[in-house]
Amino acid sequence: MTPPRRSDMSVRVALVTGANRGIGFEVCRQLAVRDVVVLLTARDAAKKLGNAGTVEPLGLDVADASSIEKKAAEVASRYGQLDVLVNNAGINYDTWETVENADINSTVMETIATNLLGPWRLCQAFLPLLRKSRAARIVNVSSESGSLAAMGAGPPAYQVTKAALNALTRTLAGELRGTRILVNAVCPGWVATDMGGAGAPRSVAEGAAGIVWAATLPDNGPTGGFFRDGKPLPW
């Protein structure tokens, strides 16, 4: 089947990072069955979702600025705009470290590059395309681990980068307030994924649903918020 192109203005296009498995993969599936054209940043995973709707591979390394710029140009060429950006890629739930002994040059820098700078660079690169949408949505997949309200000891690189991602969400939402772009952070909860572990109480489908909710908000929906299951969380 030939993928829809931007000449059909009813087509909505979403880019989801970190979608080769787990929550990101399920987000892609749930968006695809809603007739959203999904750009999934893993070729093999895209093939597995062929029956769900239109899912296209878009190889992209969120920790590589040049990769992001190249893929933004590719999406511009293929579609002319972007309607949904889901910054889902995240790494290093570093329970093996503390602030005192964390490996700053390895674990910490890697986590910053993926969990914070990746979404920041993606927002910069794709905002020109999101501005062309009639109703654009940016969803930063965060974690309640990044909530300052209840934060204590925990995986240091992960917690600090998720708190920073929340701050980026608030800052960007403030800059874009009054536009047609809504920006929110979503915590999927403790989900049974490779990172969450098999004993987690929430299914992948449950975790993904809150992200899809934020990705498909109506025009009068919230912006600059932090949510789980569509309900506000404390910052």
Side-chain angles (χ1 to χ4, degrees):
M1 181 178 69
T2 301
R5 289 297 186 257
R6 248 316 140 181
S7 57
D8 179 359
M9 294 305 294
S10 67
V11 174
R12 287 181 60 75
V13 181
L15 169 62
V16 183
T17 68
N20 59 315
R21 62 183 184 276
I23 294 171
F25 184 83
E26 177 63 16
V27 167
C28 291
R29 190 195 67 78
Q30 291 188 20
L31 288 173
V33 299
R34 288 167 169 78
D35 295 324
V36 176
V37 175
V38 178
L39 307 180
L40 190 160
T41 57
R43 183 173 298 277
D44 290 341
K47 292 178 181 178
K48 295 176 183 177
L49 287 173
N51 293 331
T54 304
V55 181
E56 302 181 21
L58 186 78
L60 185 155
D61 181 356
V62 301
D64 184 338
S66 63
S67 173
I68 292 171
E69 291 296 334
K70 288 177 182 176
K71 296 308 172 179
E74 185 175 328
V75 173
S77 175
R78 286 162 62 178
Y79 288 105
Q81 67 188 64
L82 185 68
D83 301 285
V84 177
L85 172 61
V86 178
N87 286 310
N88 173 69
I91 61 170
N92 288 345
Y93 195 73
D94 54 327
T95 54
W96 62 90
E97 294 185 320
T98 65
V99 168
E100 184 177 7
N101 67 24
D103 188 336
I104 290 177
N105 291 326
S106 180
T107 306
V108 175
M109 294 304 294
E110 289 171 359
T111 310
I112 290 172
T114 296
N115 294 6
L116 174 61
L117 299 184
W120 197 328
R121 287 189 173 113
L122 279 152
C123 288
Q124 286 187 336
F126 284 94
L127 266 171
L129 297 179
L130 290 160
R131 290 182 185 277
K132 295 180 180 180
S133 171
R134 291 176 294 178
R137 308 290 179 256
I138 298 174
V139 185
N140 292 326
V141 180
S142 186
S143 169
E144 197 169 8
S145 294
S147 170
L148 296 174
M151 188 180 292
Y158 187 82
Q159 286 196 164
V160 169
T161 54
K162 290 301 185 181
L165 182 63
N166 286 350
L168 176 67
T169 301
R170 292 282 285 179
T171 303
L172 182 58
E175 291 178 358
L176 296 175
R177 195 170 297 276
T179 71
R180 294 173 293 185
I181 306 175
L182 304 182
V183 187
N184 291 288
V186 172
C187 169
W190 184 15
V191 176
T193 62
D194 289 348
M195 183 179 288
R202 290 170 64 85
S203 69
V204 170
E206 289 174 314
I211 298 168
V212 172
W213 169 82
T216 57
L217 284 169
D219 291 344
N220 63 348
T223 191
F226 185 24
F227 300 95
R228 182 171 60 234
D229 299 333
K231 299 176 182 178
L233 289 174
W235 292 104

